[in-house]
Amino acid sequence: MKNRSIAMACIAALAFACNEKKETENAEEIPAAQEVVDNTATDVDSITPEAEAPSDKSAELAEGTQITVKGEITEINNGKDGYTAKIKMADGTVYFATISIPNLKDPKQYRKFNVGDVIKVKGKTFKIEEDTLIKVEELN
């Protein structure tokens, strides 16, 4: 069941990335950016969130919300043009980050991470079932 959800998330993320329409001048308003940060890591400078994060972050995020997430990679699922990393923050919140060259603002940022690595990603959220996915636009 868990692998099926992850596989569905990968497929949906790749389909979403391939079919995304270009924004126009009359596009809908983009939701305000919301940064979700794990401040418990000691190897990286602390980061101040731009907006107050809700208590159950992933459950309350609106689809299309721009967020920044930092946490440990607990699982990696390879895909056609990238991979999906399961990121667990220190508070236990879990996100699935779809990392692929076409989705990055700067394709030179693309690199492969491993399970156990601490990663910081920035992108827009979307939901599949109970999971919150992030279409990664920037890697740090």
Side-chain angles (χ1 to χ4, degrees):
M1 177 78 171
K2 186 176 182 181
N3 286 337
R4 184 179 65 82
S5 293
I6 293 171
M8 286 177 36
C10 291
I11 291 168
L14 292 174
F16 179 76
C18 293
N19 294 326
E20 185 176 59
K21 294 181 180 178
K22 299 285 182 192
E23 294 183 33
T24 63
E25 290 181 32
N26 297 328
E28 295 179 29
E29 279 189 38
I30 298 172
Q34 181 175 1
E35 187 167 331
V36 181
V37 179
D38 175 4
N39 289 324
T40 60
T42 58
D43 61 338
V44 178
D45 297 333
S46 65
I47 301 166
T48 305
E50 294 175 7
E52 182 83 21
S55 58
D56 183 4
K57 299 171 191 95
S58 67
E60 295 182 23
L61 291 174
E63 194 157 313
T65 301
Q66 184 80 20
I67 64 169
T68 299
V69 173
K70 180 181 169 197
E72 181 181 350
I73 296 175
T74 60
E75 188 176 318
I76 292 179
N77 291 300
N78 292 309
K80 181 180 170 185
D81 63 349
Y83 58 97
T84 299
K86 182 177 180 181
I87 301 174
K88 184 174 182 180
M89 296 176 56
D91 67 0
T93 306
V94 174
Y95 295 93
F96 293 89
T98 301
I99 302 167
S100 66
I101 294 171
N103 292 341
L104 292 171
K105 288 181 181 177
D106 179 5
K108 293 178 183 175
Q109 287 184 336
Y110 183 84
R111 60 189 179 275
K112 183 75 172 159
F113 288 90
N114 297 307
V115 172
D117 290 346
V118 174
I119 187 173
K120 180 179 167 191
V121 299
K122 183 175 183 178
K124 292 183 182 173
T125 62
F126 60 100
K127 299 283 265 182
I128 294 184
E129 295 180 6
E130 306 87 38
D131 298 330
T132 300
L133 287 82
I134 302 170
K135 184 178 100 174
V136 177
E137 297 170 350
E138 293 179 34
L139 283 173
N140 295 318

